[in-house]
């Protein structure tokens, strides 16, 4: 098969076809469909960088080539030689085919044009990844990575990655995956936050990006058991500065996606009106109390002492049609490490915010100012029955020149799901891990 490969200097990708109009080119990829009408055949073709069609006319190709074209089945890999032309009406480029070499025949490819149902598609995720919509969602995911990396570089952050094996829990202890680490129990990370807090004392402003794990029994279309989180942490930042930074970052991600992912968003048939509004207009900031009051005024039976429910988050997103920071949750429902204060009604609150996105995307970011006083944090650990010896190093961050600091975690797949408009978060990760559907 190797003999048929196109040499690097002749190789053209579909994404670059516009640079080769009227030139003869060679291109390698897969057939994903074929239509014919008499003496003309349209081969739908993809190469990983994009999609195009190759038009073969019986009168213009050798007879043996025409015969091969008649046998092309979906997902057969091929090399095509032809001349690039611009679609007469659309901003698309096609290839007027001259010859084709079959590299490897694909027989009875299980995914076709019919509606297979989600279960079938995810059981065959290795193959389903070849389809157009996963291509578009995963390209958007890649764009989000790039936006985040560029944004933090420009903001003067240092990427500082954190370990996956951790001896303690960062968030809810009931959601830990325990592993046997040479005879000692360890846990798969829920968030790199604690390590980032240590790192800012050396590097000032840091972020990490990696897989995190939650043994959460939530079977919703927003929950994965393995997902990618970006934790950012900043020395000398209070919660207000933290939220300002988050708003700038989310706007940057949206702007980049709207500008660079037009083809992908079109494949996903995404109406981008709200995304455009969110990229440009100021986000809303509401205290938890105000948000609950607004919900109560709109016929919700609310619990002022509790977290936001799924329905409440969805309603707030729909109501404002722009991301909303819900600030200062009751301390009781939040993690022990958050900075706290007592409000004018006597309720202990965390200096924190969850960022709720519209279009049913729900919470995309969780963040807070951290408790920076040694004794206060120690008392909270004791009050919540955490094993103090395990958290000693974390407490000690407050011992040697403690500073006001804040940070947040962005759920990558929640962000990708929102931008792509996909119904379920499993579409936003190449090989999803959820409570069900874990194959391949
Ligand atoms: O709000 P969370 O639990 O915050 C933390 O873990 C902090 N330690 C982060 C930090 O401050 N550095 O999670 C952060 C984000 C959520 O807002 C959500 O977007 C996403 O992670 N997330 C999930 N995404 C997919 N599936 C799940 N099961 C998720 N749980 C949280």
């Amino acid at each position: 098969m190797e003999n048929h490969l196109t040499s690097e200097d002749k190789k053209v990708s579909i994404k670059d076809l516009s640079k080769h109009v009227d030139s003869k080119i060679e291109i390698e990829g897969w057939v994903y469909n074929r239509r014919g009408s008499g003496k003309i055949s349209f081969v739908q073709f993809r190469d990983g960088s994009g999609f195009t069609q190759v038009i073969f006319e019986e009168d213009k190709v050798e007879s043996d080539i025409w015969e091969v074209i008649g046998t092309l089945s979906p997902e057969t890999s091929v090399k095509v030689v032809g001349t690039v032309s611009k679609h007469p009406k659309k901003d698309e480029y096609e290839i007027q085919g001259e010859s084709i070499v079959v590299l490897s025949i694909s027989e009875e490819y299980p995914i076709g044009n019919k509606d297979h149902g989600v279960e079938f598609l995810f059981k065959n995720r290795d193959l389903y990844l070849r389809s157009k919509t996963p291509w578009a969602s995963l390209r958007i995911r890649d764009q989000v990575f790039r936006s985040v990396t560029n944004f933090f570089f420009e903001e003067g952050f240092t990427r500082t990655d954190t370990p996956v094996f951790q001896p303690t829990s960062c968030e809810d202890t009931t959601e830990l995956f325990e592993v046997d680490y040479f005879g000692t129990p360890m846990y798969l990370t829920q968030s790199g936050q604690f390590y980032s807090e240590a790192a800012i004392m050396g590097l000032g402003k840091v972020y990490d990006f990696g897989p995190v794990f939650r043994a959460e029994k939530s079977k919703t279309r927003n929950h994965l058991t393995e997902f990618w989180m970006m934790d950012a942490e900043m020395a000398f930042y209070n919660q207000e500065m933290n939220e300002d930074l988050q708003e700038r970052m989310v706007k940057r991600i949206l702007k980049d996606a709207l500008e660079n992912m037009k083809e992908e968003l079109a494949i996903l048939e995404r109406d981008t009106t709200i995304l455009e509004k969110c990229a440009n207009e100021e986000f809303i900031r509401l205290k938890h109390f105000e948000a609950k009051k607004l919900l109560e005024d709109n016929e919700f039976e609310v619990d002022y002492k509790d977290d936001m429910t799924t329905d409440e988050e969805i309603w707030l997103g729909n109501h404002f049609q722009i991301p909303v920071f819900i600030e200062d949750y009751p301390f009781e429902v939040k993690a022990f490490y958050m900075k706290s204060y007592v409000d004018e009604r006597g309720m202990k609150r965390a200096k924190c915010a969850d960022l709720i996105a519209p279009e049913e995307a729900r919470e995309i970011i969780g963040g807070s100012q951290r408790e920076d006083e040694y004794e206060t944090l120690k008392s909270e650990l004791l009050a919540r029955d955490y094993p103090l010896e395990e958290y000693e190093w974390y407490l000690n961050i407050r011992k040697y020149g403690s500073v006001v600091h804040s940070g947040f975690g962005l759920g990558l797949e929640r962000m990708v799901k929102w931008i792509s408009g996909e119904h379920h978060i499993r579409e936003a990760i190449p090989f999803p891990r959820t409570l069900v559907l874990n194959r391949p």
Side-chain angles (χ1 to χ4, degrees):
M1 210 195 288
E2 209 140 287
N3 285 343
H4 296 299
L5 289 184
T6 305
S7 66
E8 196 64 46
D9 58 336
K10 283 194 188 160
K11 204 181 273 207
V12 169
S13 299
I14 291 175
K15 73 171 172 28
D16 294 328
L17 287 182
S18 62
K19 297 179 197 152
H20 298 273
V21 175
D22 294 336
S23 303
K24 187 163 162 173
I25 52 123
E26 290 186 16
I27 195 157
E28 294 156 328
W30 298 263
V31 171
Y32 72 88
N33 209 352
R34 184 170 55 84
R35 294 185 286 118
S37 62
K39 288 174 171 300
I40 188 157
S41 185
F42 300 95
V43 178
Q44 313 295 315
F45 183 78
R46 60 177 191 87
D47 73 343
S49 81
F51 302 82
T52 188
Q53 77 172 351
V54 191
I55 303 151
F56 288 99
E57 289 177 52
E58 187 176 3
D59 298 346
K60 293 190 183 159
V61 295
E62 306 280 337
S63 58
D64 53 338
I65 301 271
W66 185 249
E67 239 170 73
V68 170
I69 291 161
T71 66
L72 291 175
S73 50
E75 295 307 313
T76 291
S77 53
V78 293
K79 176 171 94 173
V80 169
V81 175
T83 303
V84 182
S85 61
K86 184 166 183 306
H87 189 286
K89 291 185 195 124
K90 298 184 214 158
D91 194 23
E92 285 172 14
Y93 297 85
E94 341 177 281
I95 299 168
Q96 306 299 323
E98 280 175 33
S99 69
I100 190 163
V101 176
V102 170
L103 303 175
S104 175
I105 295 172
S106 152
E107 280 175 77
E108 294 176 31
Y109 184 64
I111 300 181
N113 283 332
K114 60 176 188 257
D115 194 1
H116 287 288
V118 182
E119 196 166 336
F120 177 84
L121 292 176
F122 277 90
K123 257 188 195 164
N124 294 282
R125 181 60 163 171
D126 50 324
L127 300 178
Y128 177 41
L129 282 180
R130 301 175 181 216
S131 302
K132 264 189 170 179
T133 52
W135 179 86
S137 300
L138 296 178
R139 299 256 307 175
I140 290 171
R141 177 187 169 94
D142 170 62
Q143 171 66 67
V144 175
F145 272 114
R146 240 168 315 131
S147 298
V148 168
T149 305
N150 292 339
F151 174 80
F152 281 112
F153 175 70
E154 288 159 24
E155 292 269 343
F157 281 62
T158 304
R159 177 164 174 158
T160 313
D161 286 314
T162 52
V164 167
F165 289 123
Q166 297 189 359
T168 49
S169 87
C170 179
E171 298 297 318
D172 188 346
T173 47
T174 60
E175 297 173 5
L176 285 172
F177 278 110
E178 190 176 317
V179 286
D180 176 0
Y181 193 79
F182 306 115
T184 308
M186 286 273 258
Y187 308 100
L188 299 183
T189 178
Q190 296 172 304
S191 159
Q193 180 195 323
F194 293 174
Y195 296 88
S196 301
E197 284 188 61
I200 56 167
M201 303 300 161
L203 294 148
K205 294 192 282 186
V206 304
Y207 73 102
D208 69 4
F209 220 143
V212 297
F213 305 85
R214 303 267 168 114
E216 224 172 323
K217 295 269 185 324
S218 308
K219 203 175 144 190
T220 80
R221 55 195 180 88
N222 257 322
H223 284 87
L224 292 162
T225 50
E226 175 179 342
F227 62 98
W228 278 61
M229 171 126 74
M230 193 286 303
D231 296 283
E233 197 70 29
M234 300 77 67
F236 309 106
Y237 265 57
N238 62 19
Q239 180 55 17
E240 195 185 344
M241 296 158 84
N242 190 13
E243 288 170 34
D244 291 345
L245 179 78
Q246 291 169 43
E247 182 164 345
R248 284 205 298 285
M249 182 195 73
V250 171
K251 286 189 162 131
R252 169 63 176 276
I253 295 172
L254 295 178
K255 279 189 183 145
D256 285 351
L258 289 164
E259 198 175 313
N260 304 329
M261 295 285 109
K262 292 197 172 79
E263 182 186 353
E264 290 78 358
L265 292 165
I267 287 173
L268 294 163
E269 297 176 3
R270 181 75 169 105
D271 176 348
T272 57
T273 319
I274 294 177
L275 293 179
E276 273 153 41
K277 173 173 144 82
C278 297
N280 293 300
E281 290 178 21
E282 205 174 312
F283 292 0
I284 308 278
R285 298 183 192 201
L286 269 191
K287 297 280 179 228
H288 176 273
F289 173 80
E290 296 168 325
K292 287 281 184 185
K293 178 83 179 59
L294 179 65
L295 288 157
E296 193 172 47
D297 292 346
N298 285 279
E299 275 149 42
F300 276 84
E301 260 184 47
V302 298
D303 182 347
Y304 280 90
K305 290 195 187 126
D306 208 353
D307 222 333
M308 292 290 161
T309 64
T310 305
D311 288 345
E312 289 173 351
E313 283 186 3
I314 291 176
W315 187 89
L316 288 166
N318 286 340
H319 179 70
F320 290 107
Q321 307 236 320
I322 190 132
V324 193
F325 287 104
I326 309 289
E327 301 172 329
D328 300 5
Y329 283 64
F331 186 65
E332 291 298 305
V333 299
K334 286 293 183 189
F336 73 93
Y337 54 71
M338 295 186 182
K339 187 90 185 157
S340 62
Y341 70 96
V342 177
D343 73 8
E344 61 280 10
R345 290 171 205 88
M347 183 183 271
K348 193 172 176 189
R349 293 194 173 270
K351 281 194 182 172
C352 68
D354 286 353
L355 184 61
I356 312 295
E359 304 184 283
E360 304 198 6
R362 298 183 47 203
E363 183 198 322
I364 53 169
I365 292 180
S368 69
Q369 188 170 324
R370 320 307 191 187
E371 182 50 71
D372 50 275
E373 293 197 10
Y374 183 91
E375 287 302 335
T376 316
L377 188 62
K378 187 174 168 185
S379 316
E380 195 51 43
L381 279 165
L382 289 170
R384 296 197 192 199
D385 265 343
Y386 279 57
L388 213 49
E389 61 288 358
E390 297 286 354
Y391 288 86
E392 201 180 340
W393 72 271
Y394 179 64
L395 256 177
N396 283 349
I397 298 172
R398 281 83 183 154
K399 220 173 177 181
Y400 311 108
S402 187
V403 298
V404 169
H405 64 286
S406 302
F408 66 91
L410 167 77
L412 172 71
E413 290 77 13
R414 296 244 178 120
M415 188 75 201
V416 173
K417 172 179 173 278
W418 175 32
I419 297 175
S420 61
E422 289 280 19
H423 179 72
H424 199 293
I425 197 166
R426 66 182 158 231
E427 304 281 355
I429 186 162
F431 294 97
R433 296 293 175 254
T434 56
L435 274 181
V436 286
L437 292 174
N438 289 323
R439 280 164 295 177

